[in-house]
Amino acid sequence: MNICVFLSASDLPDRYTRPAREFAELLGKGGHALVWGGSDTGLMKVVADGVQEAGGRLVGVSVEFLAAKARKGADEMVIAKDLPERKGLLMRKADAIVIMVGGTGTLDEATEILELKKHGHTDKPVVLLNTTGFYDGLKEQFHRMEDEGFLTRPLAELVFFAEEPAVALAYLEEALGNR
């Protein structure tokens, strides 16, 4: 599988890096490819290192204004002209999406893929990896949106919430037939 991971490029504490690294190692050992923002910094570097060291492929999509931070030695690296193009390329190259901890860019990417799914423009499985409860508030908000009629599809059809890396990957492998 080509698994796109939306996540932060910031340097983060161990409570975030350890589960991200665990997911990356599982992804690589499973023979899957990481599709990611291409950065060789922060949490993006942690995940890319873990995938590569475990034998997985790296497919990066950076953006012109961040090209200097793009990872050297990725199996594939594309430089998009702007963030919207980058987001589109990331989604097109992926069979599935995982949302890890991140800031406003990650939240933007997450809500766009869910909006596309809501309107039937993609059927790719989406997992929100809720490391140490980072997304508890967002999960609560999504449930409120569903309860109050703001979602035209059930939340369970849009996103799977996983608390642990192994559960996230198992869900994706089952959803896509472990290809």
Side-chain angles (χ1 to χ4, degrees):
M1 286 186 289
N2 289 334
I3 300 175
C4 177
V5 178
F6 293 135
L7 71 167
S8 177
S10 297
D11 291 320
L12 299 171
D14 185 61
R15 71 179 180 271
Y16 298 123
T17 59
R18 188 179 22 77
R21 173 94 182 175
E22 180 184 336
F23 180 81
E25 290 171 354
L26 291 169
L27 194 153
K29 287 176 185 170
H32 305 299
L34 170 68
V35 179
W36 93 117
S39 183
D40 204 26
T41 61
L43 194 60
M44 284 194 191
K45 179 179 178 14
V46 169
V47 171
D49 287 348
V51 169
Q52 195 167 49
E53 290 167 13
R57 291 186 72 246
L58 297 181
V59 179
V61 182
S62 189
V63 66
E64 285 180 4
F65 70 89
L66 295 174
K69 295 181 180 185
R71 186 180 183 101
K72 309 293 185 250
D75 296 289
E76 179 183 338
M77 183 64 67
V78 177
I79 307 296
K81 66 178 169 54
D82 55 27
L83 290 172
E85 181 184 38
R86 176 196 209 187
K87 202 168 18 174
L89 287 166
L90 286 165
M91 288 189 231
R92 281 192 297 280
K93 289 180 176 288
D95 300 313
I97 310 291
V98 173
I99 302 155
M100 289 189 179
V101 296
T104 55
T106 303
L107 188 58
D108 171 63
E109 292 160 340
T111 55
E112 181 160 336
I113 190 68
L114 295 180
E115 188 69 7
L116 290 169
K117 270 192 91 163
K118 184 179 88 172
H119 292 290
H121 291 280
T122 185
D123 62 352
K124 295 176 184 185
V126 176
V127 173
L128 195 147
L129 185 53
N130 191 26
T131 302
T132 68
F134 183 81
Y135 285 117
D136 285 350
L138 183 60
K139 185 177 179 181
E140 182 180 336
Q141 184 62 45
F142 283 151
H143 282 295
R144 182 175 180 182
M145 289 173 182
E146 180 179 41
D147 293 345
E148 295 190 19
F150 290 96
L151 300 180
T152 56
R153 292 176 62 183
L155 184 60
E157 290 180 15
L158 299 177
V159 63
F160 176 78
F161 294 92
E163 305 299 317
E164 297 295 327
V167 173
L169 188 58
Y171 172 82
L172 294 177
E173 289 178 340
E174 183 176 325
L176 293 171
N178 198 11
R179 37 176 160 152

